[in-house]
Amino acid sequence: MAVDETQFHVLAVDDSVIDRKLIERLLKTSSFQVTTVDSGSKALEFLGLNDGNDNDEDVGVNLIITDYCMPGMTGYDLLRRIKKSSCLRDIPVVIMSSENIPSRINRCLEDGAQDFFLKPLQLSDVNKLRPHLMRT
């Protein structure tokens, strides 16, 4: 049975409008449905976690890709909140950063990130998302 990739919905979180547009274009080129937000707090709001409560509704997101360095809430903080949520913890989270800091990368992966990409995001990185999406 073939999987229809247009059913995959990715939430992209990045404070840079240029990076958000790039991510959105790459994901849409690969036939993903994309929602973009510019902060971790807006991502939590979209996911229904902004009030500190665990959302038990299906948010319809198959994967979250987030920048690490953002004002207010980092991508790492967002990852931690998602992984603490009983209904969202199974959504794969991919972190991206323009800084190649091994200790940061390891900490993200140890705390539940599925992958860590260096920015700028490339089409080859988007292709690496497919196995994570197939698990959801």
Side-chain angles (χ1 to χ4, degrees):
M1 181 164 104
V3 176
D4 178 11
E5 291 185 351
T6 58
Q7 71 188 353
F8 293 132
H9 184 190
V10 179
L11 175 61
V13 187
D14 200 313
D15 60 312
S16 162
V17 72
I18 294 168
D19 286 334
R20 266 197 324 274
K21 293 287 185 197
L22 173 65
I23 295 162
E24 184 176 22
R25 181 173 293 142
L26 287 171
L27 291 169
K28 284 187 174 179
T29 297
S30 297
S31 300
F32 296 121
Q33 178 186 346
V34 185
T35 299
T36 61
V37 293
D38 63 4
S39 69
S41 59
K42 286 187 182 166
L44 290 177
E45 188 176 324
F46 181 82
L47 295 167
L49 289 180
N50 58 331
D51 54 8
N53 295 329
D54 206 355
N55 180 4
D56 54 2
E57 296 175 30
D58 180 14
V59 294
V61 171
N62 303 96
L63 183 132
I64 299 162
I65 185 164
T66 180
D67 186 19
Y68 183 91
C69 292
M70 294 184 292
M73 176 183 288
T74 67
Y76 177 74
D77 296 332
L78 179 61
L79 167 70
R80 300 275 311 235
R81 287 285 304 272
I82 290 165
K83 294 304 173 184
K84 278 193 224 173
S85 166
S86 60
C87 63
L88 300 177
R89 73 169 58 112
D90 293 332
I91 297 174
V93 179
V94 173
I95 309 270
M96 42 183 187
S97 177
S98 56
E99 300 172 321
N100 187 358
I101 303 172
S103 60
R104 176 183 292 172
I105 295 168
N106 290 335
R107 182 173 72 160
C108 290
L109 294 173
E110 287 168 4
D111 285 348
Q114 297 300 126
D115 216 330
F116 195 104
F117 297 146
L118 289 176
K119 290 166 88 175
L121 201 65
Q122 308 285 322
L123 190 56
S124 60
D125 295 323
V126 171
N127 293 333
K128 292 176 193 172
L129 297 176
R130 294 184 195 293
H132 303 308
L133 289 162
M134 296 301 176
R135 296 181 341 159
T136 60

